[in-house]
Amino acid sequence: MIDIHTHLMPGVDDGARTVEASLQVLERFARSGVTTVVCTPHLLATDAEALDTGGYDEAFGLLVAAAPPVPALERGWEIMLDAPGVDLHDPRLGLAGSRSVLVEFPRMNVPAGATAELRRIANGGLIPVLAHPERYWGCTPQRIDEWRAAGAVIQMDAAMLLGNGPVGKLARAMLERGQVDVIASDNHGDVRSLGAARRWLEEMGAEEQTSLLTRANAERLLASERPLPVPPMPRLTSGVLGRLKSLLLGK
């Protein structure tokens, strides 16, 4: 598996605070079959053009020096689109130096002009990977269709499949509609896991979706290639969701 969205660079944002905390997560990831992890600290788009990586370089170096060889560690950012029109072409902004840029909307809301901004990024030759749209207030399946048509790639957080209320319902509807391109953990030095989602998909007999959502499409993004289509999942029943909950909770 490849996890393209994590906050495991120690002490730089609201993720893992220490190298030791990051190592605990990486060791658990390795046991579950994760082979590559991209560290994606938070970054405002308005700070991207004058990017100062000094403290981040140091934190990443400390983590690499202490970490085992698997999973391999790569760098990127989770870029909050706090202003339109910012140039995101600096290779340091991409996931593992690729043309794929992980972006999010401010304050967990869908801003005016969201579709136009995603289209602008895509038309500029980049691949906008939209982080966890299921979490944004005002998001709907219809809007996700708009964003995909504008060139956005959709990244779902694995844990959101168990969300209560509208968040969980939207996350599950997205899988059922084939609107998810890649799943990531969005781990912040905690128990969130990509491995549990993979096991659940495999138990459902969704081998093709499992490969695409947890490895193949992530691999393509890191190679500056657009993802392959993911077939819709069958309707997710309460019994199926109960099994997912037990996997995510380690039961």
Side-chain angles (χ1 to χ4, degrees):
M1 294 180 288
I2 298 173
D3 198 337
I4 66 167
H5 182 178
T6 71
H7 296 269
L8 295 177
M9 193 181 295
V12 298
D13 61 5
D14 61 346
R17 302 308 303 165
T18 65
V19 169
E20 290 73 21
S22 299
L23 292 178
Q24 289 180 3
V25 176
L26 292 173
E27 289 167 0
R28 179 162 50 84
F29 278 13
R31 291 194 297 271
S32 70
V34 176
T35 58
T36 302
V37 168
V38 186
C39 297
T40 53
H42 292 290
L43 178 69
L44 296 178
T46 49
D47 291 334
E49 289 182 305
L51 183 60
D52 180 2
T53 65
Y56 298 93
D57 295 342
E58 181 180 359
F60 188 70
L62 290 172
L63 181 58
V64 170
V70 179
L73 297 176
E74 298 286 355
R75 294 181 64 171
W77 303 86
E78 183 182 15
I79 305 169
M80 181 179 288
L81 300 176
D82 60 326
V86 175
D87 184 2
L88 302 179
H89 284 85
D90 187 330
R92 296 175 299 172
L93 298 174
L95 298 172
S98 71
R99 292 189 297 107
S100 305
V101 288
L102 183 68
V103 299
E104 66 172 340
F105 295 144
R107 296 176 294 280
M108 288 298 122
N109 287 295
V110 177
T115 302
E117 181 64 3
L118 293 170
R119 181 179 293 111
R120 180 194 70 84
I121 296 171
N123 287 345
L126 299 175
I127 303 173
V129 182
L130 182 59
H132 44 58
E134 67 277 2
R135 294 169 52 187
Y136 300 127
W137 178 259
C139 182
T140 64
Q142 291 71 33
R143 279 188 162 172
I144 293 172
D145 282 338
E146 287 182 12
W147 298 335
R148 287 166 61 86
V153 170
I154 302 301
Q155 178 258 300
M156 174 183 284
D157 282 2
M160 292 302 104
L161 289 168
L162 283 180
N164 294 321
V167 172
K169 289 180 181 178
L170 177 57
R172 295 185 286 272
M174 289 164 59
L175 276 184
E176 292 169 359
R177 294 166 65 102
Q179 292 180 313
V180 182
D181 297 296
V182 61
I183 297 177
S185 71
D186 195 6
N187 187 287
H188 280 61
D190 48 48
V191 299
R192 279 176 274 189
S193 168
L194 183 57
R198 184 196 68 178
R199 288 177 58 196
W200 175 68
L201 289 165
E202 289 175 341
E203 287 187 7
M204 291 185 64
E207 289 84 3
E208 182 179 5
Q209 290 95 331
T210 301
S211 175
L212 291 168
L213 290 168
T214 66
R215 183 170 184 86
N217 279 345
E219 192 169 46
R220 291 179 66 87
L221 290 171
L222 299 189
S224 301
E225 298 175 354
R226 295 197 60 82
L228 298 172
V230 178
M233 296 283 294
R235 185 167 181 81
L236 305 178
T237 64
S238 58
V240 167
L241 294 175
R243 176 55 183 156
L244 174 59
K245 183 175 182 178
S246 69
L247 287 171
L248 287 171
L249 295 178
K251 297 180 179 179

